[in-house]
Amino acid sequence: MDPKITELSQLFERFKAAFVRKDFDTCAKFLSQLKVALTEFKSLPPLFEETPNAIQERTLARDIYEHAVFLSVKIEDQEALERDFFQLKPYYTDTHGLQPSTQEQPILGLNLLRLLVQNRIAEFHTELELLPSSALENPCIKHAIELEQSFMEGAYNRVLSARQTVPHETYVYFMDLLAKTVRDEIAGCSEKAYDSLSINDARQMLLFSSDQDLVKYIEEEHPEWEIRNGFVFFQRAKESTPCKEIPSLQLINQTLSYARELERIV
Amino acid sequence: MAENSPKKVIETLAFSFFQIQSYLNRLFLSIPDLKEITALIEVGAYAREVRRIVRAIRWMIQLRRNLKASVLSAFLNYVLVPGSELHSCLYSYLPKEDEQDMELDTTTSATQAPAKHSLPELEIYCCLLVLIFLIDQKRYGEAKACSSTSIARLKNLNRRTVDVLSSRLYFYYSLSYELTGDLAEIRGNLLALHRTATLRHDELGQETLLNLLLRNYLHYNLYDQAEKLRSKAPRFEAHSNQQFCRYLFYLGKIRTIQLEYTDAKESLLQAARKAPDAALGFRVQCNKWAVIVRLLLGEIPERTIFMQKGMEKALMPYFELTNAVRIGDLELFKTVADKFSSTFSSDRTDNLIVRLRHNVIRTGLRNISISYSQISLADVSKKLRLDSPNPVADAESIVAKAIRDGAIDATLYHANGWMVSKETGDIYSTNEPQVAFNSRIAFCLNMHNEAERALRFPPNSHKEKESAEKRRERQQQEQELAKHIAEDDDDEF
């Protein structure tokens, strides 16, 4: 075997050992060394040259990037996750003779989940279009798709219960982030939909474990809600009699534009 | 006997003569036409008037059906120098005919004094002709090879008059690769050609190539890259109506996937409207996507859209889908989606259909809220047929979100599990009609302005002083131009 490849695989083994030990700092150090070493290989994207050890090099590089993705989830760095995923993507799309990786589907699902949490729904759907319909049956990806649907429909309790059925343990981080977003959404919806809620119900819906947490949350995020007699009142009285103002500026603008266009007609 | 009377014999003989004559006519009707086309191209090339070449191409498209190998070989003999490389290359693609036709061929060609100009325009025109012939005969492999050689020839030419021909050539090049399933191979070539066209300020070529590249990306679902290309490519006034329609269609598709439904609807509807009547398949596709985008926006398309001439069968699955969404019934929606799933996946709209589920629920909810002043959430979930482990809680959150988004006007009472609808006010006392009128007025004014800008005038008309003769000639040309613009609709690209 090529001495460079042997060196690289040894470094990779040390990286994996540190990962299992949960020693993330050493992992990060090893990872940067690995990435620098990888730039010396010509068989990797974007060059994709056919050297004699091409397949080996590419499989090794792909494993390294997959582990990098999992590492970035563990250290909770979303930007690193995005970068590593983009570097990993060419290995999945232009395979050039590689065996399909077992980690491919969980990682694709992880990326979809990340886009969902960051509320980048347009990119979520663009990524979805790239997947073949067979991939949509895979549990990891199906999980992300169903999550997006429930989110769009507003069935937030389904989103929260999906936390129990995670297909892969790396998803737990994103589910926690999602729970926070969901809580904000529920608060916004309840504000408009209900006149008042009892403290117990509010606590249940917003998923707090105790009344103090609920009170603190309301004080921080929604100071306009009132708490009286064990009920939370949402401010809805102000929309009873809106005075009908004529939006004069808009009307003036519109009429002027009509006059201008009509004058242009010869 | 009556059957053998001389009159009958003469009649039958005359009839068969007539048949042979018309057969021969059909065989050779094309050659004089092709010669006229050649003359047009030559005049256009020498006078550098692109319009004549455009007219020549339009004529040729009409003759497409009459092209036969014998006609083509005779034509090639006429136009190109027989020994030249291009001639032998193109000649090899044509099948060898039987003896009779060859004899007739040689007699006609011997009677002319062929003028071998070998204008580059004529050479490219011959390449185009052979390419179209091969594609019509479904010999796609050979078409691929032919188009690649033609593209190689084009690299050295830099004349505006060739632009019109070369844009058609690019189109057939891409088509031949697409029909053999190898579109990804030519992506690099198309990008290089686009670069060259931009350098040479070949606007028609740029437009065509941009559309071909977008088509290439969208074929493989690479919406991200398509959007990146489209946003960075230089844009200008459309030179060709057909290319503009295509561009609008691809733009609409990209916007739909990116969830920008309003822009998408505008583009798709415009593409469907601008497309010529003969382009039925294209308009059907535009309408399919437009229907889905309107459903996703929450509006129900009218029944007349589905009843347009020639489109009823193709749009039938979408009609049933619209019905399901209009009623707001999830079960019906699911059955329709399953029933026509093959159609939807071949149209690549299946992911969009999945997104429609949300709209079905919204419409159902809206119907319930209008019909009931007060209804329990358990009943709501039963009516919406939400199949989930915890329907009441689901229904509650869905209704809450709908209220927040402004889709329905109601209040929830959590303790009793009720939904109480509010009275809908009088809409004419608000600003709504004004806003709706304004959007319609703006649209009409825009259309008027665009029509004015699209008026075409012949170039250099202000430079010469007109004598009576020239004025007559100009008027005649204008009439012809108007006639050809009217015929533009029949142009099959």
Side-chain angles (χ1 to χ4, degrees), chain A residues 101-112:
Chain A
S101 153
T102 45
Q103 306 288 354
E104 181 174 341
Q105 307 292 4
I107 291 190
L108 286 175
L110 202 60
N111 186 44
L112 288 174

Side-chain angles (χ1 to χ4, degrees), chain A residues 233-248:
Chain A
F233 286 94
F234 307 108
Q235 286 283 12
R236 299 223 306 162
K238 57 179 182 267
E239 57 171 273
S240 45
T241 47
C243 68
K244 293 276 194 225
E245 236 182 47
I246 306 177
S248 49

Side-chain angles (χ1 to χ4, degrees), chain B residues 158 160 163 195-206:
Chain B
N158 186 7
R160 294 291 68 76
D163 287 346
R195 265 204 300 278
T196 328
T198 323
L199 280 173
R200 293 179 181 167
H201 293 281
D202 171 10
E203 297 194 342
L204 184 56
Q206 277 179 47

Side-chain angles (χ1 to χ4, degrees), chain A residues 62-162:
Chain A
R62 191 178 62 189
D63 284 337
I64 293 178
Y65 282 121
E66 284 173 358
H67 276 84
V69 166
F70 288 132
L71 177 66
S72 45
V73 173
K74 284 277 191 307
I75 57 179
E76 306 191 353
D77 185 352
Q78 286 193 25
E79 303 198 348
L81 174 60
E82 190 169 346
R83 278 198 304 267
D84 291 327
F85 182 76
F86 276 133
Q87 282 188 306
L88 189 51
K89 214 154 146 211
Y91 290 94
Y92 291 148
T93 46
D94 309 317
T95 40
H96 282 259
L98 289 178
Q99 304 289 334
S101 153
T102 45
Q103 306 288 354
E104 181 174 341
Q105 307 292 4
I107 291 190
L108 286 175
L110 202 60
N111 186 44
L112 288 174
L113 202 49
R114 174 183 67 87
L115 289 171
L116 187 58
V117 165
Q118 290 173 347
N119 213 16
R120 284 145 78 169
I121 311 287
E123 293 180 35
F124 180 93
H125 281 281
T126 332
E127 289 287 325
L128 208 56
E129 286 288 326
L130 286 174
L131 295 173
S133 46
S134 55
L136 296 176
E137 299 299 318
N138 186 289
C140 303
I141 299 187
K142 214 155 137 189
H143 180 250
I145 298 179
E146 283 175 4
L147 219 53
E148 194 260 343
Q149 260 203 335
S150 318
F151 200 77
M152 279 288 129
E153 285 171 15
Y156 296 118
N157 50 334
R158 251 188 271 170
V159 171
L160 297 168
S161 59

Side-chain angles (χ1 to χ4, degrees), chain A residues 21-32:
Chain A
R21 275 198 322 257
K22 300 212 188 308
D23 182 4
F24 296 131
D25 292 326
T26 347
C27 279
K29 221 167 17 110
F30 282 150
L31 186 62
S32 26

